[in-house]
Amino acid sequence: MKSENINIDEYCAIFKALAHPTRLIIAYNLMQKKECNVTKMSECLKIPQPTVSQHLTVLKNARVLSCNRNGNQICYKVENPKVIKILKQLKEG
């Protein structure tokens, strides 16, 4: 089987990162919002901030999320069009 016109490694990294329930929830909810910081995510998910930070690192390394500094906060968002397409399918499904 051939992988024509798609980057299999990129999709494998995305799916691996999204395979954890907490990370999928984070990415899905971020897709609905413009952006969010780790403190707000920790409060909404009711899990410790270091745990959220670890999940965000995995998502960022897989290019599921991007981030930018806003003052002393780092705000995360979903900008990857491939990830947005995958997450939209969940919403429709």
Side-chain angles (χ1 to χ4, degrees):
M1 186 183 284
K2 227 175 163 183
S3 59
E4 297 177 21
N5 300 325
I6 64 169
N7 185 337
I8 295 296
D9 292 334
E10 181 182 11
Y11 276 102
C12 285
I14 290 169
F15 286 124
K16 185 176 179 181
L18 292 174
H20 191 283
T22 301
R23 291 194 292 264
L24 181 58
I25 289 168
I26 289 169
Y28 185 81
N29 285 325
L30 280 174
M31 187 187 71
Q32 310 298 318
K33 297 181 154 222
K34 184 178 176 184
E35 62 184 24
C36 191
N37 66 49
V38 68
T39 303
K40 181 74 171 173
M41 285 185 240
S42 177
E43 291 169 1
C44 291
L45 295 169
K46 297 179 174 77
I47 57 178
Q49 186 172 334
T51 304
V52 175
S53 293
Q54 289 174 345
H55 286 302
L56 290 170
T57 298
V58 171
L59 292 167
K60 188 176 152 198
N61 289 342
R63 297 187 182 140
V64 171
L65 302 180
S66 60
C67 63
N68 65 319
R69 186 168 289 281
N70 186 3
N72 63 347
Q73 297 178 355
I74 298 176
C75 295
Y76 296 86
K77 57 185 168 183
V78 178
E79 288 185 313
N80 185 327
K82 293 173 184 168
V83 174
I84 292 169
K85 188 174 182 179
I86 292 166
L87 295 173
K88 282 185 178 179
Q89 289 297 313
L90 293 175
K91 188 175 182 178
E92 293 173 8

